[in-house]
Every structure is written in structure tokens, then in C-alpha cells.
Amino acid sequence: MDFINEYWPYVAALLPTLGVAFLFYWIIRYMIEADRSERKALAKWNADHKKADSENASGDNSGDSASS
């Protein structure tokens, strides 16, 4: 029991620091994961639009120059 009474102030002093460090790690990890997901979705969106634009451009070569 003496061990707990002797070291409890040290543990109590470190707990808030460890808690904040865990929260910081958790928040940064999810920010990086969200950024990765957003970049992946944006790349897919850009690829889909490039594909749609190239399909529209190849369909517009029918000789109709009214759009120019």
C-alpha cells in the first residue's frame, strides 16, 4: 500500500499529459485518414470527368459546328 501512496502523485501528474497526447494522436490520425480519403475521392471524380469529357469530345466530331 505504501507503493501506491508513494507513486500516486507522479501517476496523477502524468495522466493528463498522456490523455492529451492520446487525443492529439487520435485527432491527427483521423485528419490524415480523412485527407487521404478526400484525395482518393477527388482523383476518382477527376478521372470520371476526364472520361466523360473525352467521350463527349469524340461524340462532338460529327461535323456540326454550331457549338463553335
Short mmCIF file of all heavy atoms in Angstrom, two decimals:
data_model
loop_
_atom_site.label_atom_id
_atom_site.label_comp_id
_atom_site.label_asym_id
_atom_site.label_seq_id
_atom_site.Cartn_x
_atom_site.Cartn_y
_atom_site.Cartn_z
N MET A 1 0.82 -1.19 0.00
CA MET A 1 0.00 0.00 0.00
C MET A 1 0.87 1.26 0.00
O MET A 1 0.46 2.28 -0.51
CB MET A 1 -0.92 -0.03 1.22
CG MET A 1 -2.06 0.93 1.10
SD MET A 1 -3.06 0.50 -0.31
CE MET A 1 -4.57 1.15 0.13
N ASP A 2 2.03 1.14 0.57
CA ASP A 2 2.95 2.26 0.61
C ASP A 2 3.41 2.64 -0.80
O ASP A 2 3.64 3.81 -1.08
CB ASP A 2 4.15 1.91 1.50
CG ASP A 2 5.03 3.11 1.76
OD1 ASP A 2 4.45 4.21 1.95
OD2 ASP A 2 6.25 2.96 1.76
N PHE A 3 3.50 1.63 -1.65
CA PHE A 3 3.92 1.85 -3.04
C PHE A 3 2.93 2.77 -3.76
O PHE A 3 3.32 3.70 -4.45
CB PHE A 3 4.02 0.51 -3.76
CG PHE A 3 4.36 0.62 -5.21
CD1 PHE A 3 5.67 0.87 -5.61
CD2 PHE A 3 3.39 0.49 -6.19
CE1 PHE A 3 5.99 0.98 -6.95
CE2 PHE A 3 3.71 0.59 -7.53
CZ PHE A 3 5.01 0.84 -7.91
N ILE A 4 1.62 2.53 -3.56
CA ILE A 4 0.59 3.34 -4.20
C ILE A 4 0.64 4.77 -3.67
O ILE A 4 0.57 5.73 -4.46
CB ILE A 4 -0.80 2.72 -3.99
CG1 ILE A 4 -0.88 1.40 -4.75
CG2 ILE A 4 -1.90 3.66 -4.45
CD1 ILE A 4 -2.15 0.62 -4.51
N ASN A 5 0.75 4.94 -2.39
CA ASN A 5 0.79 6.28 -1.80
C ASN A 5 2.03 7.04 -2.22
O ASN A 5 2.00 8.27 -2.33
CB ASN A 5 0.73 6.19 -0.27
CG ASN A 5 -0.64 5.76 0.21
OD1 ASN A 5 -1.63 5.94 -0.48
ND2 ASN A 5 -0.67 5.17 1.39
N GLU A 6 3.11 6.33 -2.44
CA GLU A 6 4.37 6.99 -2.80
C GLU A 6 4.38 7.46 -4.26
O GLU A 6 4.87 8.54 -4.57
CB GLU A 6 5.53 6.04 -2.56
CG GLU A 6 6.89 6.67 -2.76
CD GLU A 6 8.02 5.71 -2.45
OE1 GLU A 6 7.78 4.74 -1.69
OE2 GLU A 6 9.13 5.94 -2.95
N TYR A 7 3.81 6.64 -5.15
CA TYR A 7 3.89 6.95 -6.58
C TYR A 7 2.61 7.54 -7.17
O TYR A 7 2.59 7.92 -8.34
CB TYR A 7 4.29 5.69 -7.37
CG TYR A 7 5.72 5.32 -7.12
CD1 TYR A 7 6.05 4.25 -6.30
CD2 TYR A 7 6.76 6.06 -7.67
CE1 TYR A 7 7.37 3.91 -6.07
CE2 TYR A 7 8.07 5.74 -7.44
CZ TYR A 7 8.37 4.67 -6.64
OH TYR A 7 9.68 4.35 -6.40
N TRP A 8 1.53 7.61 -6.40
CA TRP A 8 0.29 8.16 -6.92
C TRP A 8 0.43 9.60 -7.41
O TRP A 8 -0.13 9.94 -8.46
CB TRP A 8 -0.82 8.04 -5.88
CG TRP A 8 -2.08 8.71 -6.35
CD1 TRP A 8 -2.65 9.81 -5.81
CD2 TRP A 8 -2.88 8.34 -7.47
NE1 TRP A 8 -3.77 10.15 -6.52
CE2 TRP A 8 -3.92 9.25 -7.56
CE3 TRP A 8 -2.78 7.34 -8.42
CZ2 TRP A 8 -4.89 9.19 -8.55
CZ3 TRP A 8 -3.76 7.27 -9.42
CH2 TRP A 8 -4.80 8.19 -9.47
N PRO A 9 1.14 10.49 -6.73
CA PRO A 9 1.27 11.87 -7.24
C PRO A 9 1.95 11.92 -8.62
O PRO A 9 1.57 12.73 -9.47
CB PRO A 9 2.12 12.58 -6.20
CG PRO A 9 1.91 11.81 -4.95
CD PRO A 9 1.71 10.39 -5.37
N TYR A 10 2.88 11.03 -8.86
CA TYR A 10 3.55 11.01 -10.16
C TYR A 10 2.60 10.53 -11.26
O TYR A 10 2.57 11.08 -12.35
CB TYR A 10 4.79 10.13 -10.11
CG TYR A 10 5.81 10.59 -9.10
CD1 TYR A 10 6.08 9.84 -7.96
CD2 TYR A 10 6.49 11.79 -9.28
CE1 TYR A 10 7.00 10.27 -7.03
CE2 TYR A 10 7.42 12.23 -8.34
CZ TYR A 10 7.67 11.47 -7.23
OH TYR A 10 8.58 11.90 -6.31
N VAL A 11 1.84 9.51 -10.94
CA VAL A 11 0.87 8.97 -11.90
C VAL A 11 -0.20 10.02 -12.17
O VAL A 11 -0.59 10.25 -13.32
CB VAL A 11 0.25 7.66 -11.37
CG1 VAL A 11 -0.89 7.19 -12.25
CG2 VAL A 11 1.31 6.58 -11.25
N ALA A 12 -0.68 10.68 -11.12
CA ALA A 12 -1.71 11.70 -11.27
C ALA A 12 -1.19 12.88 -12.10
O ALA A 12 -1.95 13.51 -12.84
CB ALA A 12 -2.18 12.18 -9.91
N ALA A 13 0.08 13.17 -12.00
CA ALA A 13 0.65 14.27 -12.78
C ALA A 13 0.82 13.89 -14.24
O ALA A 13 0.73 14.75 -15.12
CB ALA A 13 2.00 14.68 -12.19
N LEU A 14 1.06 12.62 -14.51
CA LEU A 14 1.27 12.18 -15.90
C LEU A 14 -0.02 11.85 -16.64
O LEU A 14 -0.03 11.89 -17.88
CB LEU A 14 2.20 10.96 -15.92
CG LEU A 14 3.64 11.24 -15.54
CD1 LEU A 14 4.42 9.94 -15.49
CD2 LEU A 14 4.28 12.20 -16.50
N LEU A 15 -1.09 11.53 -15.95
CA LEU A 15 -2.33 11.15 -16.60
C LEU A 15 -2.89 12.22 -17.54
O LEU A 15 -3.27 11.91 -18.67
CB LEU A 15 -3.38 10.73 -15.58
CG LEU A 15 -3.24 9.32 -15.04
CD1 LEU A 15 -4.28 9.04 -13.97
CD2 LEU A 15 -3.33 8.30 -16.15
N PRO A 16 -2.97 13.48 -17.14
CA PRO A 16 -3.48 14.49 -18.08
C PRO A 16 -2.60 14.62 -19.34
O PRO A 16 -3.11 14.75 -20.45
CB PRO A 16 -3.46 15.79 -17.28
CG PRO A 16 -3.49 15.37 -15.87
CD PRO A 16 -2.76 14.07 -15.81
N THR A 17 -1.30 14.53 -19.16
CA THR A 17 -0.39 14.61 -20.30
C THR A 17 -0.60 13.44 -21.24
O THR A 17 -0.66 13.61 -22.47
CB THR A 17 1.07 14.63 -19.82
OG1 THR A 17 1.24 15.75 -18.93
CG2 THR A 17 2.02 14.77 -20.97
N LEU A 18 -0.75 12.25 -20.69
CA LEU A 18 -0.99 11.07 -21.52
C LEU A 18 -2.35 11.16 -22.21
O LEU A 18 -2.49 10.76 -23.36
CB LEU A 18 -0.89 9.80 -20.68
CG LEU A 18 0.49 9.48 -20.14
CD1 LEU A 18 0.43 8.28 -19.20
CD2 LEU A 18 1.46 9.23 -21.28
N GLY A 19 -3.33 11.69 -21.51
CA GLY A 19 -4.66 11.85 -22.11
C GLY A 19 -4.63 12.83 -23.27
O GLY A 19 -5.21 12.57 -24.33
N VAL A 20 -3.97 13.94 -23.10
CA VAL A 20 -3.86 14.93 -24.18
C VAL A 20 -3.05 14.36 -25.33
O VAL A 20 -3.39 14.57 -26.50
CB VAL A 20 -3.26 16.25 -23.65
CG1 VAL A 20 -2.91 17.19 -24.79
CG2 VAL A 20 -4.22 16.91 -22.69
N ALA A 21 -2.00 13.62 -25.04
CA ALA A 21 -1.20 13.01 -26.11
C ALA A 21 -2.03 12.01 -26.89
O ALA A 21 -1.95 11.95 -28.12
CB ALA A 21 0.03 12.33 -25.51
N PHE A 22 -2.84 11.21 -26.20
CA PHE A 22 -3.71 10.26 -26.89
C PHE A 22 -4.72 10.98 -27.76
O PHE A 22 -4.95 10.59 -28.91
CB PHE A 22 -4.43 9.37 -25.87
CG PHE A 22 -5.45 8.47 -26.50
CD1 PHE A 22 -5.04 7.36 -27.22
CD2 PHE A 22 -6.80 8.75 -26.38
CE1 PHE A 22 -5.97 6.53 -27.82
CE2 PHE A 22 -7.73 7.93 -26.97
CZ PHE A 22 -7.32 6.81 -27.70
N LEU A 23 -5.35 12.04 -27.24
CA LEU A 23 -6.30 12.80 -28.05
C LEU A 23 -5.63 13.43 -29.27
O LEU A 23 -6.19 13.43 -30.37
CB LEU A 23 -6.97 13.89 -27.20
CG LEU A 23 -8.02 13.42 -26.22
CD1 LEU A 23 -8.50 14.57 -25.36
CD2 LEU A 23 -9.18 12.79 -26.96
N PHE A 24 -4.45 13.97 -29.09
CA PHE A 24 -3.71 14.57 -30.20
C PHE A 24 -3.42 13.52 -31.26
O PHE A 24 -3.66 13.75 -32.45
CB PHE A 24 -2.39 15.17 -29.69
CG PHE A 24 -1.55 15.77 -30.77
CD1 PHE A 24 -1.88 17.00 -31.31
CD2 PHE A 24 -0.43 15.10 -31.25
CE1 PHE A 24 -1.10 17.56 -32.31
CE2 PHE A 24 0.34 15.64 -32.26
CZ PHE A 24 0.00 16.88 -32.78
N TYR A 25 -2.96 12.34 -30.85
CA TYR A 25 -2.68 11.25 -31.80
C TYR A 25 -3.95 10.85 -32.54
O TYR A 25 -3.96 10.68 -33.75
CB TYR A 25 -2.09 10.05 -31.05
CG TYR A 25 -2.04 8.80 -31.88
CD1 TYR A 25 -1.07 8.64 -32.85
CD2 TYR A 25 -2.98 7.80 -31.71
CE1 TYR A 25 -1.03 7.49 -33.64
CE2 TYR A 25 -2.95 6.65 -32.47
CZ TYR A 25 -1.97 6.50 -33.44
OH TYR A 25 -1.95 5.38 -34.21
N TRP A 26 -5.04 10.69 -31.81
CA TRP A 26 -6.31 10.26 -32.38
C TRP A 26 -6.84 11.28 -33.39
O TRP A 26 -7.26 10.93 -34.49
CB TRP A 26 -7.30 10.06 -31.24
CG TRP A 26 -8.62 9.52 -31.64
CD1 TRP A 26 -8.91 8.27 -32.07
CD2 TRP A 26 -9.85 10.23 -31.62
NE1 TRP A 26 -10.25 8.17 -32.33
CE2 TRP A 26 -10.86 9.35 -32.06
CE3 TRP A 26 -10.21 11.53 -31.28
CZ2 TRP A 26 -12.19 9.73 -32.16
CZ3 TRP A 26 -11.53 11.91 -31.38
CH2 TRP A 26 -12.49 11.01 -31.81
N ILE A 27 -6.79 12.57 -33.06
CA ILE A 27 -7.28 13.62 -33.95
C ILE A 27 -6.42 13.71 -35.20
O ILE A 27 -6.93 13.78 -36.32
CB ILE A 27 -7.34 14.97 -33.20
CG1 ILE A 27 -8.46 14.92 -32.15
CG2 ILE A 27 -7.55 16.12 -34.16
CD1 ILE A 27 -8.44 16.08 -31.18
N ILE A 28 -5.10 13.70 -35.04
CA ILE A 28 -4.21 13.79 -36.19
C ILE A 28 -4.36 12.58 -37.09
O ILE A 28 -4.39 12.69 -38.32
CB ILE A 28 -2.74 13.96 -35.73
CG1 ILE A 28 -2.56 15.29 -35.01
CG2 ILE A 28 -1.78 13.85 -36.91
CD1 ILE A 28 -2.85 16.52 -35.85
N ARG A 29 -4.50 11.39 -36.50
CA ARG A 29 -4.68 10.17 -37.30
C ARG A 29 -5.93 10.26 -38.16
O ARG A 29 -5.91 9.95 -39.35
CB ARG A 29 -4.75 8.96 -36.38
CG ARG A 29 -4.74 7.64 -37.16
CD ARG A 29 -4.89 6.48 -36.26
NE ARG A 29 -6.30 6.36 -35.93
CZ ARG A 29 -6.80 5.44 -35.14
NH1 ARG A 29 -6.00 4.59 -34.54
NH2 ARG A 29 -8.08 5.38 -34.91
N TYR A 30 -7.04 10.71 -37.57
CA TYR A 30 -8.28 10.82 -38.34
C TYR A 30 -8.23 11.96 -39.35
O TYR A 30 -8.86 11.87 -40.41
CB TYR A 30 -9.48 10.94 -37.42
CG TYR A 30 -9.89 9.58 -36.89
CD1 TYR A 30 -9.58 9.20 -35.61
CD2 TYR A 30 -10.53 8.66 -37.71
CE1 TYR A 30 -9.91 7.95 -35.14
CE2 TYR A 30 -10.87 7.41 -37.24
CZ TYR A 30 -10.56 7.06 -35.96
OH TYR A 30 -10.89 5.82 -35.50
N MET A 31 -7.50 13.02 -39.07
CA MET A 31 -7.33 14.09 -40.06
C MET A 31 -6.57 13.57 -41.27
O MET A 31 -6.93 13.85 -42.42
CB MET A 31 -6.60 15.28 -39.44
CG MET A 31 -7.46 16.12 -38.54
SD MET A 31 -6.55 17.43 -37.69
CE MET A 31 -5.78 18.28 -39.02
N ILE A 32 -5.51 12.81 -41.04
CA ILE A 32 -4.72 12.26 -42.14
C ILE A 32 -5.55 11.25 -42.93
O ILE A 32 -5.52 11.23 -44.15
CB ILE A 32 -3.42 11.64 -41.60
CG1 ILE A 32 -2.50 12.76 -41.10
CG2 ILE A 32 -2.73 10.81 -42.66
CD1 ILE A 32 -1.28 12.27 -40.36
N GLU A 33 -6.32 10.43 -42.23
CA GLU A 33 -7.17 9.45 -42.90
C GLU A 33 -8.25 10.15 -43.74
O GLU A 33 -8.54 9.74 -44.87
CB GLU A 33 -7.83 8.55 -41.86
CG GLU A 33 -8.62 7.41 -42.45
CD GLU A 33 -9.18 6.52 -41.37
OE1 GLU A 33 -8.45 6.23 -40.39
OE2 GLU A 33 -10.33 6.11 -41.52
N ALA A 34 -8.83 11.22 -43.21
CA ALA A 34 -9.84 11.97 -43.95
C ALA A 34 -9.22 12.63 -45.18
O ALA A 34 -9.83 12.65 -46.26
CB ALA A 34 -10.48 13.02 -43.05
N ASP A 35 -8.02 13.17 -45.03
CA ASP A 35 -7.33 13.79 -46.17
C ASP A 35 -7.05 12.75 -47.24
O ASP A 35 -7.25 13.01 -48.43
CB ASP A 35 -6.03 14.44 -45.70
CG ASP A 35 -5.31 15.13 -46.85
OD1 ASP A 35 -5.90 16.02 -47.48
OD2 ASP A 35 -4.14 14.75 -47.11
N ARG A 36 -6.61 11.58 -46.84
CA ARG A 36 -6.32 10.50 -47.79
C ARG A 36 -7.60 10.09 -48.53
O ARG A 36 -7.60 9.92 -49.74
CB ARG A 36 -5.73 9.30 -47.05
CG ARG A 36 -5.31 8.18 -47.96
CD ARG A 36 -4.75 7.00 -47.19
NE ARG A 36 -3.65 7.41 -46.30
CZ ARG A 36 -3.59 7.10 -45.02
NH1 ARG A 36 -4.52 6.37 -44.46
NH2 ARG A 36 -2.57 7.49 -44.29
N SER A 37 -8.70 9.96 -47.80
CA SER A 37 -9.98 9.59 -48.41
C SER A 37 -10.46 10.68 -49.37
O SER A 37 -10.98 10.39 -50.45
CB SER A 37 -11.04 9.36 -47.34
OG SER A 37 -10.66 8.31 -46.50
N GLU A 38 -10.28 11.94 -48.97
CA GLU A 38 -10.70 13.05 -49.82
C GLU A 38 -9.88 13.10 -51.10
O GLU A 38 -10.43 13.31 -52.19
CB GLU A 38 -10.57 14.37 -49.06
CG GLU A 38 -11.07 15.56 -49.85
CD GLU A 38 -10.95 16.86 -49.08
OE1 GLU A 38 -10.48 16.84 -47.93
OE2 GLU A 38 -11.32 17.89 -49.64
N ARG A 39 -8.58 12.91 -50.99
CA ARG A 39 -7.73 12.90 -52.19
C ARG A 39 -8.10 11.75 -53.12
O ARG A 39 -8.12 11.91 -54.34
CB ARG A 39 -6.26 12.80 -51.81
CG ARG A 39 -5.71 14.07 -51.20
CD ARG A 39 -4.28 13.87 -50.74
NE ARG A 39 -3.79 15.00 -50.04
CZ ARG A 39 -2.98 15.91 -50.56
NH1 ARG A 39 -2.58 15.80 -51.79
NH2 ARG A 39 -2.57 16.92 -49.82
N LYS A 40 -8.42 10.60 -52.56
CA LYS A 40 -8.82 9.44 -53.35
C LYS A 40 -10.15 9.73 -54.08
O LYS A 40 -10.29 9.43 -55.26
CB LYS A 40 -8.97 8.23 -52.44
CG LYS A 40 -9.09 6.92 -53.11
CD LYS A 40 -9.12 5.81 -52.06
CE LYS A 40 -8.89 4.47 -52.65
NZ LYS A 40 -8.92 3.42 -51.62
N ALA A 41 -11.10 10.30 -53.36
CA ALA A 41 -12.40 10.63 -53.96
C ALA A 41 -12.24 11.70 -55.04
O ALA A 41 -12.88 11.63 -56.09
CB ALA A 41 -13.37 11.10 -52.89
N LEU A 42 -11.39 12.69 -54.80
CA LEU A 42 -11.17 13.74 -55.78
C LEU A 42 -10.49 13.18 -57.03
O LEU A 42 -10.86 13.56 -58.15
CB LEU A 42 -10.31 14.86 -55.17
CG LEU A 42 -10.07 16.09 -56.05
CD1 LEU A 42 -11.39 16.75 -56.41
CD2 LEU A 42 -9.17 17.07 -55.34
N ALA A 43 -9.55 12.29 -56.87
CA ALA A 43 -8.89 11.67 -58.02
C ALA A 43 -9.89 10.85 -58.83
O ALA A 43 -9.89 10.90 -60.07
CB ALA A 43 -7.74 10.79 -57.56
N LYS A 44 -10.78 10.14 -58.15
CA LYS A 44 -11.82 9.36 -58.85
C LYS A 44 -12.77 10.30 -59.58
O LYS A 44 -13.14 10.06 -60.73
CB LYS A 44 -12.59 8.50 -57.86
CG LYS A 44 -13.62 7.61 -58.52
CD LYS A 44 -14.38 6.82 -57.48
CE LYS A 44 -15.42 5.90 -58.07
NZ LYS A 44 -16.32 6.50 -59.00
N TRP A 45 -13.15 11.38 -58.93
CA TRP A 45 -14.05 12.36 -59.55
C TRP A 45 -13.41 12.97 -60.79
O TRP A 45 -14.06 13.09 -61.83
CB TRP A 45 -14.40 13.43 -58.52
CG TRP A 45 -15.40 14.43 -58.99
CD1 TRP A 45 -16.76 14.29 -59.00
CD2 TRP A 45 -15.12 15.73 -59.50
NE1 TRP A 45 -17.33 15.43 -59.48
CE2 TRP A 45 -16.35 16.34 -59.81
CE3 TRP A 45 -13.94 16.44 -59.74
CZ2 TRP A 45 -16.45 17.61 -60.33
CZ3 TRP A 45 -14.04 17.71 -60.27
CH2 TRP A 45 -15.28 18.29 -60.56
N ASN A 46 -12.13 13.35 -60.67
CA ASN A 46 -11.43 13.92 -61.82
C ASN A 46 -11.32 12.91 -62.96
O ASN A 46 -11.49 13.27 -64.12
CB ASN A 46 -10.03 14.41 -61.41
CG ASN A 46 -10.08 15.71 -60.66
OD1 ASN A 46 -11.01 16.50 -60.81
ND2 ASN A 46 -9.08 15.94 -59.83
N ALA A 47 -11.02 11.67 -62.64
CA ALA A 47 -10.92 10.63 -63.66
C ALA A 47 -12.26 10.41 -64.34
O ALA A 47 -12.32 10.27 -65.58
CB ALA A 47 -10.41 9.34 -63.05
N ASP A 48 -13.34 10.40 -63.58
CA ASP A 48 -14.67 10.24 -64.17
C ASP A 48 -15.01 11.40 -65.10
O ASP A 48 -15.57 11.20 -66.18
CB ASP A 48 -15.73 10.12 -63.07
CG ASP A 48 -15.65 8.82 -62.31
OD1 ASP A 48 -14.98 7.88 -62.80
OD2 ASP A 48 -16.26 8.74 -61.22
N HIS A 49 -14.66 12.61 -64.69
CA HIS A 49 -14.96 13.77 -65.53
C HIS A 49 -14.08 13.82 -66.77
O HIS A 49 -14.54 14.23 -67.84
CB HIS A 49 -14.87 15.06 -64.71
CG HIS A 49 -16.09 15.29 -63.90
ND1 HIS A 49 -17.19 15.95 -64.36
CD2 HIS A 49 -16.42 14.89 -62.64
CE1 HIS A 49 -18.13 15.98 -63.44
NE2 HIS A 49 -17.68 15.32 -62.37
N LYS A 50 -12.83 13.43 -66.66
CA LYS A 50 -11.97 13.37 -67.84
C LYS A 50 -12.51 12.35 -68.83
O LYS A 50 -12.53 12.58 -70.04
CB LYS A 50 -10.54 13.00 -67.46
CG LYS A 50 -9.70 14.16 -67.06
CD LYS A 50 -8.25 13.71 -66.87
CE LYS A 50 -7.38 14.87 -66.51
NZ LYS A 50 -5.98 14.47 -66.36
N LYS A 51 -12.96 11.21 -68.30
CA LYS A 51 -13.52 10.17 -69.16
C LYS A 51 -14.78 10.68 -69.85
O LYS A 51 -14.97 10.48 -71.05
CB LYS A 51 -13.82 8.92 -68.34
CG LYS A 51 -14.34 7.76 -69.13
CD LYS A 51 -14.59 6.56 -68.23
CE LYS A 51 -15.22 5.43 -69.01
NZ LYS A 51 -15.58 4.31 -68.14
N ALA A 52 -15.65 11.34 -69.08
CA ALA A 52 -16.89 11.88 -69.66
C ALA A 52 -16.58 12.96 -70.69
O ALA A 52 -17.22 13.03 -71.74
CB ALA A 52 -17.78 12.43 -68.56
N ASP A 53 -15.60 13.82 -70.42
CA ASP A 53 -15.23 14.87 -71.36
C ASP A 53 -14.66 14.28 -72.64
O ASP A 53 -14.94 14.76 -73.74
CB ASP A 53 -14.22 15.83 -70.73
CG ASP A 53 -14.86 16.74 -69.69
OD1 ASP A 53 -16.11 16.82 -69.66
OD2 ASP A 53 -14.11 17.34 -68.90
N SER A 54 -13.84 13.25 -72.52
CA SER A 54 -13.26 12.65 -73.72
C SER A 54 -14.34 11.93 -74.54
O SER A 54 -14.29 11.93 -75.76
CB SER A 54 -12.13 11.68 -73.36
OG SER A 54 -12.64 10.57 -72.65
N GLU A 55 -15.33 11.34 -73.86
CA GLU A 55 -16.43 10.71 -74.59
C GLU A 55 -17.29 11.75 -75.28
O GLU A 55 -17.71 11.56 -76.42
CB GLU A 55 -17.28 9.87 -73.64
CG GLU A 55 -16.60 8.60 -73.18
CD GLU A 55 -17.40 7.86 -72.12
OE1 GLU A 55 -18.48 8.37 -71.71
OE2 GLU A 55 -16.94 6.79 -71.71
N ASN A 56 -17.51 12.89 -74.63
CA ASN A 56 -18.29 13.96 -75.25
C ASN A 56 -17.53 14.58 -76.41
O ASN A 56 -18.12 14.94 -77.42
CB ASN A 56 -18.64 15.03 -74.22
CG ASN A 56 -19.69 14.57 -73.24
OD1 ASN A 56 -20.41 13.61 -73.50
ND2 ASN A 56 -19.75 15.23 -72.10
N ALA A 57 -16.22 14.73 -76.26
CA ALA A 57 -15.42 15.32 -77.33
C ALA A 57 -15.39 14.41 -78.55
O ALA A 57 -15.45 14.88 -79.68
CB ALA A 57 -14.00 15.59 -76.84
N SER A 58 -15.32 13.12 -78.37
CA SER A 58 -15.32 12.20 -79.50
C SER A 58 -16.70 12.13 -80.15
O SER A 58 -16.83 11.91 -81.33
CB SER A 58 -14.87 10.80 -79.07
OG SER A 58 -15.81 10.25 -78.17
N GLY A 59 -17.75 12.37 -79.39
CA GLY A 59 -19.11 12.40 -79.94
C GLY A 59 -19.43 13.70 -80.63
O GLY A 59 -20.35 13.77 -81.45
N ASP A 60 -18.70 14.76 -80.36
CA ASP A 60 -18.94 16.06 -80.97
C ASP A 60 -18.31 16.22 -82.33
O ASP A 60 -18.50 17.22 -83.00
CB ASP A 60 -18.42 17.19 -80.05
CG ASP A 60 -19.27 17.36 -78.81
OD1 ASP A 60 -20.42 16.85 -78.81
OD2 ASP A 60 -18.81 17.99 -77.85
N ASN A 61 -17.56 15.27 -82.79
CA ASN A 61 -16.89 15.35 -84.09
C ASN A 61 -17.77 14.89 -85.23
O ASN A 61 -17.32 14.35 -86.21
CB ASN A 61 -15.59 14.52 -84.08
CG ASN A 61 -14.55 15.11 -83.16
OD1 ASN A 61 -14.60 16.31 -82.87
ND2 ASN A 61 -13.65 14.29 -82.67
N SER A 62 -19.06 15.16 -85.17
CA SER A 62 -19.99 14.72 -86.20
C SER A 62 -20.11 15.73 -87.33
O SER A 62 -20.94 15.58 -88.21
CB SER A 62 -21.35 14.43 -85.58
OG SER A 62 -21.86 15.62 -85.00
N GLY A 63 -19.36 16.78 -87.29
CA GLY A 63 -19.39 17.77 -88.35
C GLY A 63 -20.27 18.95 -88.03
O GLY A 63 -20.40 19.87 -88.84
N ASP A 64 -20.92 18.97 -86.94
CA ASP A 64 -21.80 20.06 -86.55
C ASP A 64 -20.95 21.16 -85.88
O ASP A 64 -20.40 20.94 -84.83
CB ASP A 64 -22.87 19.56 -85.58
CG ASP A 64 -23.90 20.63 -85.25
OD1 ASP A 64 -23.89 21.68 -85.92
OD2 ASP A 64 -24.70 20.39 -84.33
N SER A 65 -20.85 22.30 -86.49
CA SER A 65 -20.01 23.37 -85.95
C SER A 65 -20.88 24.44 -85.30
O SER A 65 -20.45 25.57 -85.13
CB SER A 65 -19.14 23.98 -87.04
OG SER A 65 -19.98 24.56 -88.05
N ALA A 66 -22.11 24.15 -84.94
CA ALA A 66 -22.99 25.12 -84.31
C ALA A 66 -22.54 25.46 -82.90
O ALA A 66 -22.85 26.51 -82.38
CB ALA A 66 -24.42 24.57 -84.27
N SER A 67 -21.80 24.55 -82.27
CA SER A 67 -21.35 24.82 -80.91
C SER A 67 -20.13 25.73 -80.87
O SER A 67 -19.76 26.20 -79.83
CB SER A 67 -21.04 23.50 -80.19
OG SER A 67 -19.96 22.84 -80.83
N SER A 68 -19.49 26.01 -81.98
CA SER A 68 -18.29 26.85 -82.00
C SER A 68 -18.62 28.30 -82.00
O SER A 68 -19.39 28.84 -82.64
CB SER A 68 -17.43 26.57 -83.23
OG SER A 68 -16.99 25.24 -83.20
#
